[in-house]
Amino acid sequence: MSLDTAIAEAKATLDAHTHEIVQWHFHESTGSPFWLQKKSELKFDPLTEVKCFDDLKKFPLFEDDWLRGGPVRRWVPKGYENEPVYVFETGGTTGVPKSRVVMRDHWIDYEMFSDTLPEEHFPKGANWLMLGPSGPRRLRLAVEHLAQHRGGICFCVDLDPRWVVKLIKKGWMEHLEEYKKHCIDQAITILTAGHDIQCMFTTPKLLESLGDALEERGSSIQEMGIKGIFSGGTEFTPQWTRYAVEELLGGSPEEGGVYMTPTYGNTLMGLACSKPITAAEQYKISYYAPQPRAATEVVEFEDHTQVVSMGGTGRVKLYTLTKEFFVPGFLERDEGEREAPFDKFPWDGVSGVRPFHELASATTVGVY
């Protein structure tokens, strides 16, 4: 199949999926109380006037402040009212955190992600280490499910990112270093306890700390038996990725080094995969959303309804289109460049993701 044909088919799939999801969220028998109430405020009828993805621009922007406070059941679609419900939090360093209800989305997202992982670096049946946030977060349960879905067992550390952000804001750098060491010590204890862990999730900062701590002990991530790392966070720059490959991971996978795949995601969207990273492309990282369940656009800074030209710079706009959760356009706190479709992901991507320049100075990244 030619790329043009694949792009057209992906667009048709996204259009049909968008129509189906809007029908579900705005029909009296299946929709959530939140969207059914919101429907009365709209200047159009979603059930008859949203026929394709581009029609989502008729909606006002989604406001993440809507997710603060309760009752969270207002987000549960009537079609799922008898299902067990998870609630996951995001943010919340100060004030009331944002919450998202989930039934199975985190499982589905990570099963789809699992299909993109190369088996030689993420062997089926291998055990995993989750070196990332614990607590009321989707990520821990999702990584655990990923390990189980692939036939392995997931080992976790205790890590409270809200405390990390408070330490940074208070300027308690000595405490911050001790807390980071506390988290890395937990990871090394697990890795040296004979659990045969070959895969892991972590963030760039924690990966670097782990590599440094192992080097101090005369060892390395490679020598611990790790073959594949899935990582996420806005710290991923080409410079950092090159450093990680050359200094922390023992070279490229082709040279026998540890395989690392960056991801871009959050509690609203799920997980966007990256195009394989190569030295030939100067370690550029391009992310592609898991269409049709989520989509991203790179839009003009002054007009979020206009997508930038290919290669142009703009703000990341996110859409979530699952039966559990509907986001008809949300402006992320990130900017980047629009990337072209390619054979594996025949839809637009985004590269060079970094904090949106108007907000960058106010963003505290913490451990992510």
Side-chain angles (χ1 to χ4, degrees), residues 22 57 76-77 85 88 166 327 330-331:
V22 169
K57 292 184 171 57
V76 178
V85 175
F88 297 128
K166 281 186 175 174
V327 177
F330 170 67
L331 290 177

Side-chain angles (χ1 to χ4, degrees), residues 1-7:
M1 185 193 306
S2 74
L3 182 57
D4 285 347
T5 305
I7 291 168

Side-chain angles (χ1 to χ4, degrees), residues 51-92:
K51 295 184 167 61
C52 64
F53 178 72
D54 276 347
D55 286 342
L56 293 178
K57 292 184 171 57
K58 296 175 180 177
F59 285 94
L61 283 172
F62 188 91
E63 296 176 31
D64 57 351
D65 274 347
W66 294 340
L67 298 171
R68 294 186 199 276
V72 294
R73 274 216 176 261
R74 71 188 186 279
W75 294 100
V76 178
K78 287 183 185 176
Y80 288 143
E81 62 189 358
N82 296 318
E83 298 277 334
V85 175
Y86 294 91
V87 62
F88 297 128
E89 291 181 3
T90 179

Side-chain angles (χ1 to χ4, degrees), residues 64-186:
D64 57 351
D65 274 347
W66 294 340
L67 298 171
R68 294 186 199 276
V72 294
R73 274 216 176 261
R74 71 188 186 279
W75 294 100
V76 178
K78 287 183 185 176
Y80 288 143
E81 62 189 358
N82 296 318
E83 298 277 334
V85 175
Y86 294 91
V87 62
F88 297 128
E89 291 181 3
T90 179
T93 310
T94 55
V96 179
K98 292 168 283 188
S99 303
R100 173 184 169 179
V101 297
V102 179
M103 289 110 244
R104 288 181 294 268
D105 269 354
H106 59 310
W107 297 340
I108 298 165
D109 290 344
Y110 277 69
E111 286 170 18
M112 287 172 62
F113 174 63
S114 176
D115 294 339
T116 71
L117 295 176
E119 201 165 327
E120 66 268 31
H121 304 296
F122 295 90
K124 295 275 176 71
N127 292 337
W128 283 66
L129 169 64
M130 164 54 176
L131 177 52
S134 53
R137 281 175 183 70
R138 165 190 162 110
L139 191 58
R140 192 198 75 78
L141 282 182
V143 172
E144 190 163 43
H145 180 73
L146 174 66
Q148 292 172 350
H149 178 68
R150 298 181 68 81
I153 297 166
C154 186
F155 294 79
C156 304
V157 301
D158 255 337
L159 194 167
D160 177 2
R162 291 175 181 164
W163 182 236
V164 172
V165 172
K166 281 186 175 174
L167 291 175
I168 292 169
K169 287 186 172 175
K170 287 175 184 290
W172 293 358
M173 292 304 148
E174 195 179 328
H175 290 253
L176 177 67
E177 281 307 308
E178 281 303 308
Y179 190 71
K180 192 160 69 171
K181 186 171 174 292
H182 163 66
C183 296
I184 297 301
D185 285 349
Q186 294 177 65

Side-chain angles (χ1 to χ4, degrees), residues 282-329:
Q282 276 82 47
Y283 296 93
K284 183 167 86 166
I285 303 163
S286 305
Y287 297 113
Y288 290 81
Q291 278 190 206
R293 288 169 52 80
T296 55
E297 291 178 328
V298 182
V299 298
E300 298 283 357
F301 291 122
E302 304 303 325
D303 182 359
H304 66 82
T305 65
Q306 293 299 313
V307 174
V308 301
S309 56
M310 197 60 72
T313 300
R315 194 162 174 182
V316 179
K317 188 177 181 183
L318 159 71
Y319 302 82
T320 303
L321 303 167
T322 77
K323 284 189 168 180
E324 296 180 18
F325 197 58
F326 175 61
V327 177

Side-chain angles (χ1 to χ4, degrees), residues 6-20 291-292 347:
I7 291 168
E9 284 190 6
K11 184 179 184 308
T13 299
L14 180 60
D15 285 341
H17 181 78
T18 299
H19 180 259
E20 179 191 344
Q291 278 190 206
W347 49 82

